[in-house]
Amino acid sequence: MNLMLNDNIYILGIETSCDDTSVSVIRGRKVLTNITSSQKIHALWGGVVPELASRAHHQNIVPVTDAAINQAGIHKSQLSAIAYTRGPGLLGSLIVGATFARAMGLGLGIPVIPVHHMEAHIMAHFIEDTDMQPPEFPFLCLTVSGGHTQLVWVTDFMEMNVIGQTTDDAAGEAFDKVAKILGLPYPGGPIIDALAAEGNPNAFHFARPEVPGFDFSFSGLKTSVLYTLEKAKKSDPDFIQKHINDIAASVQQAIVDTLIKKVKRAVLQTGAKHLALAGGVSANSCLRKAMQDLSAQLDVRLYLPKMSYSTDNGAMIAITGYYYLTANIQRTSNLNPTARWPLGS
Ligand code: KG4
Ligand code: ZN
């Protein structure tokens, strides 16, 4: 794809698809600021409460945007464009970011670019950063977040094809739902990761549901954990507390095994030489290690996102907007937020 890359453009990226209000300013492909306000309120409820999320975005969007612009050392009149998450995500949350971006774009007289959230997770790899190398095309990307789990074949900027996806829960959702069963707060993924570090991944064997091709399934794992723990608690009510590290490590292993099995199959069948990981669950230490081992075993080059670009962030939205702007591509003229938006459509 022919791109007119330009280091002198500033893009504001706004992400409000779920429970993080995150705003970033980039100059060219370099991140100047990437400021995230995570909503703590959901921890009390064991998951994201959509109505509370949109209210919190309302409260956060102005101060977070102000901080992102001020700390970047620029004035808003220097912005070349505003990119925002159009979808997929929670509609009430998306509406806040989209409305704010469109109003600000109108006020400044600059383009407003609607961005696909899952495309942005992958595009985060193209941020210019000394800790990361951009993947070479074509590459296979495992995108794992709280709402999605996908295997994506990427042939060029903005050329992405989903070749496999979850048939039920997403990998992050599996982490969060098991955490809830264990009585841990939301989001459970990072807590399970930390607890697992002190546990034995082979202590318990939880189900690894099998589905054909490159698709995934995680709902059977959650049920398997639930039944195992219900049974064990009958003879020992403190079973979870006593074995929390081993349970966390075994659950994490089951999720990672399920993911790695399909990544391996996809690498072998596509002949991929470049492999990337993206999305919030890419912060998981066991998954990172397993991807490293797999890449060594199959002799493919692995690209891991920096932690700050793994979970939801405004910088990934800004960099995606940057590529659309410099390629002069308008993927959709529809600026309205949408809860459902298939990648590649
Ligand atoms: O991409 P993301 O920030 O938001 C969505 O687009 O959904 O992903 C959030 C998900 C949550 O399910 C969270 O529990 C999970 O990523 N997550 C992790 C870790 N850090 C975040 N899961 C496992 N281990 C982690 N270290
Ligand atoms: Zn995400």
Side-chain angles (χ1 to χ4, degrees):
M1 181 172 292
N2 275 337
L3 299 170
M4 298 287 288
L5 296 186
N6 183 341
D7 282 344
N8 279 320
I9 58 178
Y10 293 92
I11 304 215
L12 185 76
I14 299 176
E15 157 59 34
T16 63
S17 70
C18 192
D19 58 336
D20 292 317
T21 315
S22 187
V23 183
S24 167
V25 175
I26 63 171
R27 178 176 184 217
R29 295 190 301 117
K30 283 195 183 138
V31 174
L32 300 182
T33 52
N34 187 30
I35 297 183
T36 303
S37 169
S38 296
Q39 305 174 0
K40 302 280 176 265
I41 180 103
H42 308 290
L44 301 170
W45 303 94
V48 178
V49 183
E51 182 57 27
L52 296 179
S54 51
R55 247 188 265 167
H57 284 304
H58 263 292
Q59 285 163 353
N60 295 337
I61 190 86
V62 171
V64 174
T65 304
D66 266 349
I69 294 174
N70 293 339
Q71 289 175 32
I74 64 160
H75 186 263
K76 61 180 188 290
S77 59
Q78 287 171 268
L79 291 170
S80 318
I82 301 174
Y84 69 95
T85 307
R86 175 177 172 244
L90 300 172
L91 191 59
S93 295
L94 292 165
I95 286 172
V96 178
T99 313
F100 182 81
R102 290 163 75 177
M104 191 168 169
L106 209 60
L108 294 171
I110 55 176
V112 175
I113 306 165
V115 167
H116 191 291
H117 182 84
M118 299 313 290
E119 180 172 20
H121 270 301
I122 299 174
M123 290 301 292
H125 282 280
F126 295 95
I127 288 170
E128 194 178 326
D129 191 297
T130 46
D131 293 337
M132 291 186 338
Q133 279 288 318
E136 277 180 37
F137 298 114
F139 66 92
L140 180 71
C141 188
L142 173 67
T143 317
V144 267
S145 71
H148 294 80
T149 294
Q150 297 180 327
L151 270 168
V152 186
W153 183 246
V154 187
T155 48
D156 203 342
F157 298 108
M158 305 112 179
E159 297 296 333
M160 303 184 181
N161 210 353
V162 178
I163 60 169
Q165 59 193 321
T166 185
T167 53
D168 40 55
D169 292 346
E173 202 176 353
F175 271 107
D176 298 337
K177 284 183 174 172
V178 169
K180 192 173 178 184
I181 295 172
L182 297 177
L184 301 170
Y186 175 87
I191 306 172
I192 291 194
D193 192 353
L195 289 168
E198 307 293 322
N200 173 6
N202 301 313
F204 302 95
H205 185 83
F206 297 121
R208 290 148 168 77
E210 182 56 51
V211 282
F214 301 141
D215 286 342
F216 306 87
S217 167
F218 291 100
S219 64
L221 164 70
K222 180 190 62 200
T223 314
S224 156
V225 174
L226 191 64
Y227 285 167
T228 306
L229 298 183
E230 287 299 319
K231 203 169 150 206
K233 276 198 301 190
K234 282 195 182 125
S235 45
D236 180 0
D238 296 329
F239 185 85
I240 293 181
Q241 288 84 337
K242 284 183 192 159
H243 299 279
I244 190 87
N245 296 92
D246 287 347
I247 299 168
S250 303
V251 166
Q252 179 173 268
Q253 195 61 52
I255 295 173
V256 170
D257 284 353
T258 305
L259 293 169
I260 292 292
K261 183 175 175 181
K262 292 303 172 86
V263 176
K264 182 173 181 177
R265 186 178 290 176
V267 169
L268 294 175
Q269 288 195 22
T270 58
K273 287 279 154 230
H274 301 272
L275 176 63
L277 183 62
V281 184
S282 70
N284 184 263
S285 56
C286 178
L287 179 59
R288 285 185 166 239
K289 168 81 173 54
M291 289 288 279
Q292 277 161 343
D293 293 346
L294 184 72
S295 78
Q297 185 198 341
L298 301 181
D299 193 25
V300 294
R301 182 144 181 219
L302 178 67
Y303 305 84
L304 295 174
K306 210 169 144 174
M307 286 297 194
S308 45
Y309 309 136
S310 289
T311 45
D312 288 350
N313 64 90
M316 71 185 197
I317 306 301
I319 190 79
T320 311
Y322 171 84
Y323 277 97
Y324 276 95
L325 193 74
T326 51
N328 203 12
I329 287 185
Q330 200 181 348
R331 168 136 298 167
T332 172
S333 55
N334 188 344
L335 296 176
N336 291 334
T338 173
R340 295 185 185 279
W341 187 10
L343 181 62
S345 64

